Amino acid sequence: MKIVIQKTYEEMSEAAFEMMRELVTRNPAAVLGLATGTTPLGLYERMVKDHRERGTSYKNIRTVNLDEYVGLGPESDQSYIYFMRKNLFDRLDIPRENTNLPNGLAENLERECERYNRLLAGMQQDIQVLGIGSNGHIAFNEPGTPFGAETHVVALAESTIRDNARLFAREEDVPRKALTMGLKNIMHAKQILILANGANKAHAVRGLVCGPVTEQLPASVLQLHPDCTLIVDEAAASLL
Ligand code: F6R
């Protein structure tokens, strides 16, 4: 694993953006695996700015996102599809039909997981961007998830519900279930870019880099990926 430690969140985001710009320039029809959450916002802001100011085009780019809450759709401002449209897709020239997320409103969730797995089998991510949960989750693969899992329905861990409650009016409003890519779908990416900032991620980052490869800390599976880059700020790297 390549490890890059930057002083601040802004520098972490800049380094992530440089990797993304290099890929999109080299391969304007790349498949980008994307994440939601607070961590990649600085990266997405830079992609939008670069598109506006330098004309980097996303019209032939395709995207696949990691996850979505069950029961939330594009009309809900807490859904991940809403987040992605607001923070990235609607601010680039990417056609909407090129963007993919699991459908949290699907009537049959099992069938929706199968649809997403088929889609992923046909579009390998050239890069997969990841954040990390304070409990070491990646996407919504909570501790204990088998490394061989593909897209599945997950009951969110109590710690994830607490962490994500900051983005909802009340903790009770955080959906208890989500659809998530599995670790196998993530590991299928050609290249992985995992970002982490802030002291509350330091313990998980330590497990990711130095801990045993264990299903108890899902991100540790990335030690087995042949092309994984971790970019962290100093606070998240403080236990390395
Ligand atoms: C988001 C996702 C999650 C987040 C993680 C960190 O699509 O899959 O694994 O990356 O929970 O979230 P933030 O960045 O909000 O700290």
Side-chain angles (χ1 to χ4, degrees), residues 131-153:
I132 185 169
S134 61
N135 65 0
H137 75 210
I138 46 177
F140 277 135
N141 293 282
E142 301 287 19
T145 309
F147 287 159
E150 297 192 294
T151 307
H152 59 284
V153 182

Side-chain angles (χ1 to χ4, degrees), residues 176-190:
R176 266 41 186 176
K177 280 188 182 173
L179 294 166
T180 182
M181 261 191 218
L183 296 165
K184 189 172 168 192
N185 307 113
I186 292 171
M187 289 294 278
H188 186 57
K190 288 185 195 159

